[in-house]
Amino acid sequence: MVRGRGRTAAVWATALWVAVAAPAQAHAAAEPVPYAFEDGARSVQGGSTPSQAEELDADTAYRSSIGPDERLVYRVELDARSSAYVSAVAVPELGSDVTYADGIKVTLESGDGMRCGSQDRRFGSARHPRPLAATADRTIKGNAGRCSRAGTYDVVVERTGADRSAADSWELELNFHEEPPLKSGGGATEAPENANSAPPEVPSGDAESVRGGSGFSSAAAVGAGVWKDRIAAGETRFYRVPLGWGQQMSARAELNDVADSGPAPGALALSLANPVRGEVASEAVSSPGEQPQVALEALPPVDFANRFSPRSEVKAVRFPGQYYLQVTASPELRGDAGGEDLGVTLRVGVRGEAADTPVYAGDAGIFQVDPESDEGGAGGPGAAGGGSDDSMKVVAAAGIGTGTLLVLGLGVWTVVARRRGAVA
């Protein structure tokens, strides 16, 4: 009976060790999590010509792919009142090679070939694979021009790069949104004069824990304050900051406790995208140091009139909604991290209260904020988001496994105790 009790106790001890160690090991594993595409995204095939293009519906996410030097065409139907935005997020495979010149370009053209808007993004000095988003727009500026007409428009997505460009195909996440016009008499028609106003200072103080998402749709909601997270070398995390009319933001990211082992291209990259995923600003630091940090340049307040500015960083801050911070740690920091996740601190400053005007003459859709549902925090809305975040699945699985093993272990322990009582 003593041997049986010993074997039973050993089984219980082993189960308890597995229950405790498994989640701890899962947390310590510093493998970067792949990009989380939006749940329910439809598959779509880009055509080589406009006649082969498949149609994209508004407010619907799509998945596609693009090869080296490939040029794909999709189509959208636009009215004559709404501004339109089509975005493409290029997602190279983790561990693949990219060059300085590699990138993605999105163009929106009228049915007769008039270019209405385009944007291109490159990896630049941060030469490591990470999600790269670009957005093309058709902005309504009165009734003049071929780009103001209702009809079929072509969306052209291109891989850009040099002769030594990456040979792998990239996955794409596509989105199309329409912005309604303002109510009669609302909104300026010229660029604002305060576009160069000084941004708010980034805050100091104690940091609050947050778990960044692995894609735009799973971005964690944060607001003004100091936030701390963990990130693996080579990984990208997403956070969203709600901004209303008239509000202005600043942001700085810092990596903690990184060994200074020499220059690392794009050791820490920080970028900001607007609600339609168009780039607002992007910065990277190449020399790690003990605590590499990168801050965005001065950003203007949210203003409808910003769309009339000749400066891209001002033009992008043209509507309220969710603004997305994207933080990437270089895979070259893997050795400096000693196989562990890196600590990252995100400092976000927001100035002003959201104004009620101007007002859209239709459903604002993504071009609005809800103060009650846009509070940041570790368990706040958006921490899980609408995407399939594999990192959260690992945590959930570990938690479920721990609970199950503990219950089983307690059951075994109860049986042992009863047998002891019977023998006595």
Side-chain angles (χ1 to χ4, degrees), residues 21-407:
Q25 290 175 348
H27 174 73
E31 291 300 321
V33 177
Y35 183 80
F37 289 86
E38 188 167 339
D39 285 341
R42 302 179 188 175
S43 295
V44 64
Q45 186 71 36
S48 56
T49 64
S51 62
Q52 299 174 328
E54 293 188 37
E55 183 176 353
L56 306 179
D57 294 330
D59 304 319
T60 302
Y62 293 88
R63 289 186 67 166
S64 191
S65 63
I66 188 169
D69 300 320
E70 196 167 15
R71 180 182 186 274
L72 301 177
V73 185
Y74 310 85
R75 62 185 174 88
V76 292
E77 294 292 331
L78 304 184
D79 60 29
R81 302 176 64 249
S82 306
S83 293
Y85 307 89
V86 183
S87 65
V89 183
V91 186
E93 185 176 352
L94 291 175
S96 61
D97 294 325
V98 296
T99 69
Y100 178 96
D102 283 335
I104 194 81
K105 180 178 181 180
V106 184
T107 305
L108 189 58
E109 300 177 348
S110 64
D112 56 3
M114 178 72 176
R115 191 183 76 168
C116 303
S118 68
Q119 185 177 57
D120 64 279
R121 295 282 312 282
R122 297 183 180 183
F123 288 103
S125 60
R127 299 188 300 272
H128 44 78
R130 63 188 185 278
L132 208 61
T135 300
D137 70 282
R138 190 281 298 265
T139 302
I140 295 294
K141 301 176 182 179
N143 297 322
R146 287 177 285 176
C147 289
S148 297
R149 300 171 184 169
T152 301
Y153 286 70
D154 296 327
V155 179
V156 181
V157 181
E158 302 172 82
R159 278 272 295 268
T160 59
D163 294 337
R164 296 182 292 106
S165 295
D168 301 325
S169 290
W170 297 348
E171 288 195 87
L172 294 175
E173 183 175 66
L174 305 170
N175 276 274
F176 162 41
H177 295 286
E178 293 178 294
E179 179 193 19
L182 298 180
K183 286 187 175 181
S184 179
T189 57
E190 296 181 356
E193 296 180 357
N194 66 340
N196 294 316
S197 61
E201 293 186 3
V202 292
S204 58
D206 296 335
E208 183 176 347
S209 295
V210 67
R211 184 68 172 173
S214 298
F216 283 97
S217 62
S218 61
V222 298
V226 185
W227 309 87
K228 61 181 179 180
D229 199 356
R230 307 291 298 178
I231 188 172
E235 188 172 33
T236 299
R237 290 205 172 275
F238 292 80
Y239 312 86
R240 57 185 177 91
V241 182
L243 293 178
W245 294 120
Q247 290 187 301
Q248 186 179 18
M249 73 166 286
S250 59
R252 186 174 77 198
E254 305 161 1
L255 281 181
N256 307 319
D257 304 320
V258 178
D260 187 0
S261 59
L268 177 63
L270 174 66
S271 64
L272 178 69
N274 62 23
V276 295
R277 305 182 182 181
E279 182 189 38
V280 178
S282 181
E283 300 291 340
V285 60
S286 293
S287 297
E290 295 182 0
Q291 187 170 321
Q293 56 182 265
V294 60
L296 298 178
E297 293 186 358
L299 303 171
V302 178
D303 193 326
F304 182 86
N306 285 342
R307 67 193 62 210
F308 303 115
S309 172
R311 297 166 50 195
S312 60
E313 71 275 15
V314 175
K315 185 180 297 186
V317 191
R318 60 171 70 184
F319 28 53
Q322 305 296 329
Y323 281 74
Y324 297 92
L325 287 166
Q326 180 176 332
V327 180
T328 303
S330 170
E332 296 188 23
L333 297 178
R334 189 178 302 275
D336 297 331
E340 300 290 332
D341 286 340
L342 298 163
V344 61
T345 301
L346 190 63
R347 303 180 187 274
V348 180
V350 177
R351 174 188 292 151
E353 297 293 330
D356 295 330
T357 57
V359 179
Y360 287 111
D363 183 3
I366 65 170
F367 306 107
Q368 59 185 324
V369 294
D370 182 354
E372 294 184 359
S373 63
D374 284 326
E375 297 179 357
S388 300
D389 200 328
D390 291 339
S391 63
M392 298 308 295
K393 291 179 180 178
V394 170
V395 173
I400 293 171
T402 301
T404 302
L405 287 171
L406 286 173
V407 171

